[in-house]
Amino acid sequence: MKKVCVLHHTKYLGGGTKSFIDLLNMLKETYDVIACIPKGANEIVDLLQENAINYYEVSSVIPLFPYYSGSSSLISKSLVKTIYRLKDQQGFVDEINALNPSVLIFNSIVTTISAGRLDPQIKKICFVIETFKRTFVDNIFKKILERYFVGVAF
């Protein structure tokens, strides 16, 4: 049975969490599914347990580039801090690679920044749930999706 990991980057409940749980429930009937969530996402753990979904708590920081409509400006303190933390992706990459999934589904485009560093044998799919600003950052995401992903859904 193929192992499918689904990556969710936030500890907080919201609309993305609802679609995350729905996706996991659909996939678990056919695949060995593992929800990859940030360590300490207790409310999400409760939901996963209620739905009998296997999960893995990622102990390293999940790399993300949170630039979309409604996010901070490109020259904000929080975004600069996030960009600085991108240099420390190896722990995350090692954790995901160790799970040895056949497929890794990114539940948000903001997490796709790590795709190029993951094992190239892992097939990558992205669900784009964000609305974007019209900037050069859109082109960065577009190039990542075209180069490293076998499927993208909007």
Side-chain angles (χ1 to χ4, degrees):
M1 183 180 286
K2 279 192 174 184
K3 185 186 296 183
V4 176
C5 290
V6 183
L7 178 64
H8 191 65
H9 69 285
T10 182
K11 295 180 182 182
Y12 307 105
L13 299 178
T17 308
K18 170 76 172 112
S19 61
F20 174 63
I21 299 296
D22 288 346
L23 175 64
L24 292 163
N25 276 320
M26 286 186 280
L27 292 172
K28 76 179 185 183
E29 301 301 322
T30 309
Y31 303 100
D32 175 15
V33 175
I34 301 173
C36 298
I37 58 172
K39 192 165 196 68
N42 299 331
E43 291 176 303
I44 295 174
V45 166
D46 292 343
L47 283 172
L48 294 169
Q49 289 174 340
E50 286 171 21
N51 286 275
I53 297 169
N54 295 324
Y55 63 92
Y56 174 79
E57 292 186 82
V58 179
S59 60
S60 57
V61 174
I62 297 174
L64 58 127
F65 189 74
Y67 191 68
Y68 51 90
S69 178
S71 67
S72 302
S73 97
L74 196 54
I75 309 176
S76 70
K77 182 179 177 181
S78 63
L79 195 58
V80 170
K81 182 179 170 184
T82 299
I83 292 169
Y84 177 75
R85 287 180 21 193
L86 288 176
K87 68 178 182 60
D88 297 326
Q89 293 184 45
Q90 197 58 48
F92 169 78
V93 168
D94 291 344
E95 283 187 74
I96 298 301
N97 285 342
L99 292 172
N100 197 29
S102 300
V103 177
L104 175 61
I105 298 174
F106 293 73
N107 196 39
S108 170
I109 197 169
V110 301
T111 56
T112 60
I113 200 79
S114 63
R117 299 188 66 188
L118 292 161
D119 184 337
Q121 298 301 312
I122 300 170
K123 302 241 185 288
K124 297 160 195 81
I125 298 170
C126 180
F127 284 90
V128 179
I129 59 175
E130 297 81 7
T131 303
F132 286 95
K133 300 175 180 181
R134 294 268 184 213
T135 67
F136 74 95
V137 176
D138 297 354
N139 290 327
I140 293 170
F141 283 124
K142 182 180 177 189
K143 287 179 183 180
I144 290 170
L145 293 173
E146 288 172 346
R147 184 169 183 186
Y148 301 110
F149 286 76
V150 297
V152 179
F154 293 88

